[in-house]
Amino acid sequence: MVLQEKTLTCLDCGKNFVFTVEEQEFFASKGYTNEPKRCPDCCRKKRAAKRDNGYDDNPKEPRQMFPAICARCGKETTVPFQPRGNKPVYCRECYELMKTRQPA
């Protein structure tokens, strides 16, 4: 069967987007039988909204957060893992700042 690009309509924003041959091959390799219902932008927004609301893979179960003190600025914060004390823990702002300063 020869695959061809398909133009689909996003369920959320209503814009048309292309379902490329490469994407179709990827879907087939994963065993997916349905075509995507959302454009890439809306998919990213939906994933980000889930992540920002503290949800992991299960939207009914909020992610457990643990209290911590930022090793850089000393601010109280929460993190999605149990701090063990053997590695520094940073607040979101300090973590983002440190990420941008690291060489690629």
Side-chain angles (χ1 to χ4, degrees), residues 1-98:
M1 181 175 162
V2 177
L3 298 174
Q4 295 180 345
E5 287 189 349
K6 296 180 181 182
T7 301
L8 305 175
T9 303
C10 179
L11 183 68
D12 290 347
C13 70
K15 293 180 183 174
N16 290 336
F17 65 98
V18 177
F19 187 32
T20 66
V21 171
E22 292 82 11
E23 290 169 329
Q24 292 175 53
E25 289 170 345
F26 174 77
F27 271 51
S29 74
K30 295 291 185 182
Y32 302 153
T33 55
N34 297 325
E35 295 176 342
K37 299 203 181 310
R38 291 175 179 82
C39 68
D41 286 338
C42 288
C43 284
R44 276 190 291 278
K45 288 177 188 172
K46 186 172 180 171
R47 278 193 302 272
K50 279 185 179 181
R51 191 174 50 248
D52 292 345
N53 287 329
Y55 291 106
D56 226 349
D57 291 337
N58 185 351
K60 294 181 180 175
E61 193 174 307
R63 176 185 280 180
Q64 185 176 4
M65 300 297 280
F66 299 89
I69 303 294
C70 177
R72 185 171 179 272
C73 71
K75 181 171 88 175
E76 290 184 18
T77 188
T78 57
V79 292
F81 57 88
Q82 178 72 51
R84 305 272 183 237
N86 60 343
K87 292 184 181 178
V89 176
Y90 302 102
C91 66
R92 182 178 298 271
E93 293 82 15
C94 290
Y95 179 75
E96 290 298 326
L97 182 65
M98 294 178 69

